[in-house]
Amino acid sequence: MSRPWPDFRPGPLGAAKAWWRRRVPSRHEDYTYVPPVSSHQQEFATPLPSAVYGLDFQLKMNVVWRFDLTTGLRHNSPKSAAIHHVVQRATEISATRMLVHHAALQVHLGDELAREQQVPGTHVWARAEQVKVEVDDGDLEMARKHIELLRSSTFKLAERDIERQEIRYLRDEVLTDVGTATIWWLQRNGYRVEEAVKLSDELAQLVRIAQQQPAKHWAESLISSVEKALPELGDQHRMELQQHLAKALSVYGGSRIAAEFADQVGLPAGEQQQGGVHNGQNNGHK
């Protein structure tokens, strides 16, 4: 009797293939399960320090973070870890920028903070989106004034250095004797010999005045000797050198000597106290 429906049973070869598939799984089924990553985000706003203390940028951003459970690390407050890490990255950049550069800073932070990084020691990866940097109008005006003051101070320091160099040149190279002073005058005044002869007495008087060595306090003499040995020192380095000398005198000569030195050379009162502290510690150690 024939079947009322077709016979779909596999033949001997088909049955063997089915058996093999049951015994040996295909490659696409042979994998390790990886849990899907979770993603979170939080809007955050905070001041960011600039290169000038007290003048801050205003940062607004969307902090995005996810977990990587395969690291074996954990953190009890992943949101705080993510936000803190992103803010720390932003601070390292903003602390070197002036407030007037806020537009360029926004572009830089938008590029840098978009790079996802793992928070050290945690299973958290964090980045930032929609970064916006703003500045207060009053702070921006103060920043511009600060820049003007820096510029003016730089020019004044440069002028003082030029004056000091000119004075040293006249004292140490020109007005050393009448002959050198006369040649210098001739070169500056078109080699008018007859006038130079008439001025010889006045030039000789200038030489005597320039070479006079008035009585100086020992502190002034010490500073003068150091400046002659190091004529290229700028104002900032000269001040640092005076501070080091005050500390050395405090250690080896006592607080009274250090205070006398600081008073003569015009160091701030804080330097005298600092020298005295060092000296007191040294005496206590003895």
Side-chain angles (χ1 to χ4, degrees), residues 184-192 195:
W184 173 82
W185 188 92
L186 286 171
Q187 186 182 19
R188 293 292 185 94
N189 295 275
Y191 296 97
R192 297 197 295 270
E195 292 186 24

Side-chain angles (χ1 to χ4, degrees), residues 219-237:
E220 296 178 356
S221 299
L222 176 59
I223 291 297
S224 178
S225 299
V226 173
E227 290 182 347
K228 287 182 179 179
L230 303 171
E232 302 300 326
L233 282 180
D235 282 354
Q236 181 62 34
H237 289 162

